[in-house]
Amino acid sequence: MDAQQDEMLRKLQQQVDQDDSNYSSWVTGEELKTLTSKRCHFFDKHGFIFIPGFANSGEVNSMKSTMKELVENNWNPKIETQVFRTDEGQLEAQSTSDYFLDSAARVHYFAEKDALDDEGELKAEYQSDKIAALNKAGHGIHLTKGAFQDYTRSEKVCNLLRELGWQQPCVPQSMYIFKQASIGGEVTSHQDSTFLYTTPRQTCIGLWLALDDATLENGCLWVRPGSHHEHLRRQFVRNPKHFGESLVYDGSDDEDHAEL
């Protein structure tokens, strides 16, 4: 972490330390106990926490090698070549795809659009290195026995969620994002609850683990502090007239969302 990032986090922590108002848990809506940890207070105020070295090198290497094996052994791009997008083509790309909708309990593979030719086939340069053509794999990776399941169910992950206020957390989805050089698709600003909507409160939390160093230069995660307290701007729901076949957009954009 460079000096600029360190200074930003220091100032955000200072805001937490100087705030004398009563804290209410973003998760439960209840007032936080006086013995609640500092990073729980930080999370409730700003909507994120940064934990360096949360996964050790053994866990990281095991997950990377496991994914390489899964891709090599299980993905046949001649049969399954689905593109994943988060730009203006997102609704068209994912909304009517059974391959996408059926990925909740298994691992499906989604290519970068620029890795395919006009016929929808992998370009020649990716034929012998197909993992370099992938945007992501998901969404039931946590159900795969081995490195991913072990990490997801690890004591440290469970303890972190309990510390932040979750009492009975469940894992609705997991994904492995490749962040390919040169052809990596843009990930636009969004709220995770758009896709993982919960009632009576929005309690979706994302645990984002960088398996490689993530920097401003190579595409790190961005967050706007405090935005978790804002209203939900978009919600994807199943179309009741065509249940199981398509999704519909419910909600509207505003100027603030474009600047997330």
Side-chain angles (χ1 to χ4, degrees):
M1 182 170 61
D2 61 27
Q4 183 179 9
Q5 292 170 308
D6 186 60
E7 177 64 12
M8 180 270 292
L9 290 174
R10 187 192 67 78
K11 288 182 178 179
L12 290 175
Q13 182 61 57
Q14 190 175 48
Q15 293 177 23
V16 175
D17 296 338
Q18 294 176 348
D19 194 339
D20 295 329
S21 61
N22 292 328
Y23 283 93
S24 294
S25 170
W26 176 77
V27 184
T28 65
E30 300 175 354
E31 185 174 335
L32 293 176
K33 298 178 181 179
T34 56
L35 296 179
T36 303
S37 71
K38 278 192 173 183
R39 62 183 181 184
C40 182
H41 281 292
F42 189 100
F43 174 80
D44 273 278
K45 184 173 182 64
H46 298 303
F48 77 99
I49 52 175
F50 173 64
I51 308 177
F54 187 74
N56 60 50
S57 59
E59 291 171 316
V60 169
N61 291 334
S62 182
M63 283 187 268
K64 293 172 76 171
S65 61
T66 297
M67 179 51 63
K68 184 176 181 179
E69 292 177 5
L70 288 173
V71 173
E72 289 300 320
N73 297 331
N74 298 331
W75 183 43
N76 185 346
K78 293 184 178 180
I79 299 176
E80 302 170 342
T81 309
Q82 175 74 43
V83 170
F84 184 81
R85 302 179 63 169
T86 63
D87 56 13
E88 67 279 357
Q90 180 180 37
L91 191 61
E92 180 181 357
Q94 275 86 250
S95 66
T96 58
S97 168
D98 287 338
Y99 186 71
F100 177 80
L101 295 175
D102 290 343
S103 65
R106 51 185 63 86
V107 181
H108 283 181
Y109 305 90
F110 302 88
E112 291 284 1
K113 62 182 180 65
D114 290 338
L116 307 180
D117 59 24
D118 294 338
E119 303 299 323
E121 302 287 339
L122 280 187
K123 293 179 179 178
E125 57 264 39
Y126 300 109
Q127 294 292 338
S128 60
D129 186 22
K130 58 184 182 179
I131 196 170
L134 285 172
N135 172 284
K136 74 171 184 176
H139 294 87
I141 295 177
H142 59 287
L143 302 175
T144 304
K145 291 183 178 180
F148 294 110
Q149 188 178 84
D150 293 344
Y151 174 79
T152 304
R153 297 182 178 182
S154 65
E155 185 176 356
K156 62 184 174 184
V157 170
C158 294
N159 288 341
L160 173 62
L161 290 171
R162 293 191 186 100
E163 178 185 344
L164 297 180
W166 274 257
Q167 297 176 2
Q168 293 181 309
C170 65
V171 184
Q173 70 170 33
S174 54
M175 65 188 79
Y176 189 110
I177 305 174
F178 293 91
K179 297 287 185 181
Q180 306 291 2
S182 301
I183 64 168
E186 176 188 8
V187 179
T188 56
S189 59
H190 62 276
Q191 297 167 293
D192 285 349
S193 291
T194 290
F195 315 100
L196 298 170
Y197 185 84
T198 60
T199 58
R201 299 177 60 85
Q202 295 304 307
T203 58
C204 171
I205 184 173
L207 275 63
W208 193 90
L209 174 65
L211 299 179
D212 295 299
D213 289 340
T215 67
L216 292 172
E217 288 72 27
N218 69 7
C220 61
L221 179 69
W222 287 74
V223 62
R224 183 155 59 84
S227 58
H228 62 310
H229 289 297
E230 298 171 2
H231 69 280
L232 184 64
R233 295 183 175 87
R234 292 180 176 181
Q235 182 188 349
F236 276 22
V237 297
R238 290 289 181 95
N239 188 331
K241 295 182 180 179
H242 305 280
F243 187 78
E245 296 180 6
S246 64
L247 302 175
V248 295
Y249 170 88
D250 179 22
S252 61
D253 277 323
D254 59 22
E255 294 180 358
D256 289 338
H257 181 68
E259 298 174 357
L260 277 176

